[in-house]
Amino acid sequence: MARVINFNPGPATLPVEALERAQRELLELGDTGASVIEHSHRGKAYEAVHNEAISLVRELLGVSNDYDVLLMQGGASAQFAMVPMNLLKQGQSADYIITGSWSKKAFGEAQIVGTARVAATTEKDKKFPRIPKQADLELDPKAAYVHITSNNTIAGTQWQQFPNVGSVPLIADMSSDIMWRPIDISKFGLVYAGAQKNIGPSGITVVIIRKDLVEAGRDDIPKIFRYTTHAAANSLSNTPPTFPIYLLRNVLDVTKQLGGLAAAEKRNRDKAKLVYDAIAARPDFYRSPVEADSRSMMNVVFNLPTPELEAEFVAEGLKAGMMGLKGHRSVGGIRASIYNACPRAWVETLVAFMKDFHKGS
Ligand code: PMP
């Protein structure tokens, strides 16, 4: 077996311990006589896994009882729609801060549902090189909510400090950086994240939502799309994706064993610094398209002098055992996604490769 060095942006590499546990437990979960995949979602064996996944989210992120933790389907993309369907009422408007393609998509869905406005955008020549400053935001104090994307997976930017939005609920798509560090959940009305980058496989989306927002949700939409439906049923209103939730549990358990989010932040900052330093050390060759104070600790993007050299870098990288270094097709360049489960040794290999590749060209 040869597991390659994996810089995929998502689905992404997961902790080996979480996968090995799945391997061990695949045929029989504990001494329950069946695989987790085969158990009823209404049975005790599955219920224990389900509730452990939810309580690990609560524990790791310090989520208080003022919030519900929901396990949802449809990816982060379904939340682009569900957020406005539930929380944007007739006569109201919602603010969107646009920092990349995913925020644009979220904004687009809100416009289908109701009235949404752009409170700030950092788009410049079809790229998004930075996160806006507080002074750049034109916030509507009456907005139903303000939506941000905490980490821009494609542009390689990340909010270092969350915006101050007064008493308007702040909603964040944290798909590509949830649990990369501790955060103060009480600053948010709602946080959502597809699991497939930092916390699990695809097929499961974590939604953390303040209970008053659940209650205030619209009831003129189909029940399956209401947060109240999922909150009232502990995310068991219909059959949940039991195997992805089981894997989410495994990954969160490993995250906890490794010292929780404070320890994760240390590891992540250290790894990202290695790559950013490697870029800065060769300014005539490697170039970050992102402003220094907006750089992502999760997705490090950079350019080489020409697209041809970038293609060669990706191809040679693959030969050297590194998968997933190609930038998103919409922006090109190189992207190394170095989420929680990416070991430091992989980043060291990348950095050594960057040095050699520069020398050789
Ligand atoms: N938001 C962000 C920040 C993302 O990176 C992605 C996926 N790469 C999405 C939303 C869309 O997620 P999904 O495919 O789970 O709908």
Side-chain angles (χ1 to χ4, degrees), residues 9-11 74-80 101-103 105 149-154 173-177 192-197 202-205 299 328 335 339:
S77 300
Q79 296 309 308
F80 293 169
S101 330
W102 296 113
S103 353
K105 286 215 165 95
T149 312
S150 58
N151 182 74
N152 298 281
T153 326
I154 298 172
D173 171 4
M174 294 196 180
S175 293
S176 51
D177 70 351
Y192 63 90
Q196 67 266 26
K197 295 154 198 308
S202 59
I204 185 68
T205 305
N299 311 96
H328 191 268
R335 170 174 57 178
Y339 301 118

Side-chain angles (χ1 to χ4, degrees), residues 14-334:
L14 292 176
V16 174
E17 300 88 332
L19 298 177
E20 282 174 344
R21 182 174 182 185
Q23 194 176 39
R24 281 196 309 275
E25 294 182 344
L26 188 64
L27 292 182
E28 186 181 9
L29 179 70
D31 57 0
T32 64
S35 173
V36 65
I37 308 171
E38 302 164 312
H39 274 292
S40 165
H41 63 294
R42 306 273 172 221
K44 278 205 160 45
Y46 173 71
E47 200 183 22
V49 170
H50 187 89
N51 288 337
E52 192 186 342
I54 292 172
S55 52
L56 281 165
V57 172
R58 284 195 178 280
E59 185 182 340
L60 286 163
L61 278 167
V63 181
S64 79
N65 282 334
D66 296 338
Y67 290 76
D68 283 313
V69 173
L70 311 178
L71 303 177
M72 311 278 293
Q73 302 190 57
S77 300
Q79 296 309 308
F80 293 169
M82 274 186 72
V83 164
M85 283 165 76
N86 280 271
L87 303 179
L88 183 52
K89 298 186 177 143
Q90 278 243 319
Q92 286 184 318
S93 167
D95 274 355
Y96 279 72
I97 301 179
I98 311 289
T99 51
S101 330
W102 296 113
S103 353
K104 253 186 156 169
K105 286 215 165 95
F107 175 60
E109 292 291 79
Q111 282 181 302
I112 293 172
V113 175
T115 307
R117 63 186 276 281
V118 175
T121 175
T122 56
E123 186 164 9
K124 199 175 148 193
D125 304 330
K126 299 208 165 136
K127 296 207 166 154
F128 296 89
R130 65 186 183 91
I131 296 296
K133 305 258 184 290
Q134 183 74 34
D136 300 334
L137 310 181
E138 288 173 25
L139 296 169
D140 168 6
K142 294 207 185 82
Y145 58 82
V146 180
H147 181 282
I148 64 167
T149 312
S150 58
N151 182 74
N152 298 281
T153 326
I154 298 172
T157 62
Q158 189 173 28
W159 288 80
Q160 317 294 328
Q161 267 181 329
F162 295 114
N164 181 354
V165 295
S167 57
V168 175
L170 180 60
I171 295 186
D173 171 4
M174 294 196 180
S175 293
S176 51
D177 70 351
I178 188 163
M179 297 204 195
W180 85 275
R181 64 164 170 174
I183 55 165
D184 181 0
I185 283 285
S186 73
K187 291 213 156 66
F188 296 88
L190 189 159
V191 163
Y192 63 90
Q196 67 266 26
K197 295 154 198 308
N198 252 352
I199 56 173
S202 59
I204 185 68
T205 305
V206 172
V207 176
I208 303 166
I209 174 170
R210 226 169 54 205
K211 284 179 177 162
D212 61 297
L213 292 177
V214 175
E215 290 314 316
R218 276 166 50 176
D219 56 10
D220 58 345
I221 56 174
K223 284 184 186 159
I224 192 68
F225 298 127
R226 296 182 203 165
Y227 289 124
T228 45
T229 302
H230 299 280
N234 189 30
S235 304
L236 286 162
S237 149
N238 65 319
T239 318
T242 52
F243 195 50
I245 291 171
Y246 161 83
L247 288 167
L248 169 74
R249 188 284 305 267
N250 285 8
V251 174
L252 295 184
D253 189 47
V254 171
T255 309
K256 181 178 163 181
Q257 302 307 327
L258 290 175
L261 303 193
E265 176 174 9
K266 263 196 203 135
R267 291 193 298 271
N268 286 325
R269 286 195 188 279
D270 170 54
K271 284 183 293 179
K273 186 173 183 318
L274 286 180
V275 193
Y276 285 115
D277 284 353
I279 296 169
R282 296 160 196 88
D284 55 330
F285 195 69
Y286 296 117
R287 194 170 35 81
S288 167
V290 167
E291 291 186 13
D293 62 1
S294 300
R295 286 173 176 169
S296 169
M297 300 293 129
M298 300 280 99
N299 311 96
V300 182
V301 298
F302 54 95
N303 290 97
L304 274 67
T306 64
E308 290 72 28
L309 274 171
E310 287 168 345
E312 200 185 320
F313 183 96
V314 172
E316 290 298 316
L318 201 54
K319 277 192 213 154
M322 292 180 288
M323 172 164 86
L325 285 172
K326 197 169 188 286
H328 191 268
R329 59 189 184 280
S330 62
V331 293
I334 310 293

